[in-house]
Amino acid sequence: MENGMLTKSIAAALTAFMIAGPVNGIAQQNGAAPTQPPQAPVGQVQQQGDQNARNFVIRIQSNMVLTNVVARDSKTGEIIKDLKASDFTILENGKPQKIASFDFQNVDEAAALNEKATVSGKQKSVADILNNEILGVDDKELRDHRLIVLFFDLSSMQPEDVDRSVEAAQKYINTQMQPADLVACVSFATGLSLDQDFTNDKATLLKTVGKYNGSEGAGFAAGNEGGSTDGTSDDASTYAADDTEFNALNTDRELYAIEAIARSLQRLDQRKSMLYFSGGLTRQGIENQASLRAATNAAVKANMAIYTQDSRGLQAISALGDASKGSSRGTGTFSGAAMQSALSSNFSSQETLATIASDTGGKAFFDSNDFAPAFQQIQHDTQAYYILGYRPLNDKKDGTYRNLSVKVNRPGVKIETRPGYYAQADFTHANTQDREQMLMEQMRSDLPATDVQVLLQALYFRLTDNSFFIPVSLIVPARYIPFVKNGDKSKANIDVLGQVKNAQGIIVGQARDTVKLNTDDSQVQSKNVQYNTGFQLAPGKYHLKFVVRENQTGQMGSFETDIVVPDLRKSSLKLSSVVVSNQRAPNTKKSISPLVRDGLEWEQNVPHVFRTDQHMYFLYEVYDPTKQGAAPAAPLSDGATPPAAAKPDPKAAAAKPDTNAPVKVLTSIQFINSAGVRVLETPMVEHDAIDVPERDAVAFQFDVPINKLKPGTYICQIQVIDDASMSFSFPRLAVIVRAPAPAAAPAAAPTTASPAKAM
């Protein structure tokens, strides 16, 4: 619960797929529109783009590989500064590459910068980092400067580790920092924070770094993977927690933070250096492989070398433990197993740091309480260097590792460069972890995916006064899904990822499904695929986003919009959304969804398109109808609270609403054609009792005969009247009626026995 709001995750995943008619008419197609419609209430078909006025997105992909090269005299170690592009030869997997760009950076030639033009002047958040706003300066002004990011991973460090890291950074700023050094400070605790933009102002940097001193990190250690308590500390507890899974998640978060920083610096060609202060980074098998690959690739693309510093310093691992924890239990202390476990855990936490440094062209620093060499190494490696760029002759996006080798046609020259990089991987060559990463990246992207068209409809039904069920239906035209013939069946599968965020940007609901489609319909490409799910939310404003991917070519489509879950306490007549459907599927599973009635699930007709040989079902509910003879309660105004009774009766307060008291709710449905003429109206239906006592609701179900309607567009008006309180509501929606499909056999008229029935 947050601020009195129920923030439960997925209330139900009704992974039902259906084949429906073509989408057109009211529900527009998903165009390539980067902007979304303004806030709209739940219960309407939200539009993604417009067919008549589309915005087009131009995508440019440049497959340029940049690598830094430091050339030194093999005898003296002095940097050689007079080489030209023609002096270098780049080999990728042993094959020569053509150099497309060449530059030389020398810190001795760095020009003084105007600090007001260099720094942004305000503290920024992770959102600014992700939006490429980590710098407030033109990259031309950064020529010949060192760009150094001090990254403090507070989530992995103990307080004493933070002290050592801060003292080392302060010493570097006071004694080692040179005029060409531009330093930024980034920290990661519960979230990623840019604490100081790039600057050369020592006083500002000292003030920023000093804020980390004494911070209490979580200090997560490697979890117990074996499930045995042998060799663990005796803390007088009968339960030994296994935090392996949590540590794996925390490692992913740290690697994602590195990736976010690298992405924010990709637009700058200069070499960037990150000094990563960490208390160890442990991988749990292959669980973190995708995030490690993503962080490494992002750093390589950004031309950023990562230097890792183990903030734990020189550790003395004792077989009997130390005074910071209790005595070990079991026989591990005497057999040497506890010592071996401690050494393995320490090595594992350092191995990941060494991998990141090696793969990005940096260096790792372990087992030393003197952190100064890390700063010295960064300055040494970036004193003067060449930036070579080339477009690989091997343009396959297979995700393989490619070895880089740089040679110089001058004797006595020693070359320092990174050993290689991972090529981009397309969908075909991506593994399961990489594919999941692609979905998450699209979910975080501000630019919508438009390769697959997506339509969405969200409705609402009240469960309690402060809880609503939000059924969501997605439609994907089947022509965007490449079905594969397997005998007499057409098969395909799609991935669906959805998120709901509240007004504060916090995720309060998620949906994730991989759905296999299997049909023997030969005309499947002319149909649509519908996906249904639902969320349980409190009244308020939310942002809804779904990403759909077909898993043959990896093409994706996305849909996002703002929705409003109304507070019905402010309404004189409390009415749910109106569900319009043309089919009901068997569903005997237990579900909180009001769309499941008497063993049947109502499938939303998202485009509101019907044929005259189909059923047109209506479903809606009226909540808290006024009991006959009772005075009608006035609706609450904005910000108002219900008046308190003078002498509350505990027994009366605990009593449930009197569902046996008579009510009088009337309803009917009208169809109005494009000329404004009423062409069809159902008989007025009256309910005099509560049908759904658990929701204190009167429920209506209609099966409207439309076989006599002419094809065309109609306005459907639902008339609902609470006679006891003299309140009413007249919601409207548009529908399209079409003639039967030419190939279809003549269909019998829909059942007209009862236009409505009680639930």
Side-chain angles (χ1 to χ4, degrees), residues 165-199:
S165 302
V166 168
E167 291 173 2
Q170 292 173 336
K171 182 178 180 181
Y172 157 73
I173 295 171
N174 285 321
T175 63
Q176 295 177 251
M177 188 171 173
Q178 299 180 4
D181 295 354
L182 296 176
V183 181
C185 297
V186 181
S187 62
F188 177 75
T190 57
L192 184 61
S193 174
L194 173 59
D195 302 307
Q196 176 56 50
D197 205 347
F198 285 96
T199 182

Side-chain angles (χ1 to χ4, degrees), residues 614 616 671 680 682 703-709 750-752 755:
Q614 292 179 324
M616 181 181 286
F671 288 81
L680 176 64
T682 65
D703 184 356
V704 179
I706 60 172
N707 56 324
K708 295 182 180 180
L709 288 178
T751 302
T752 60

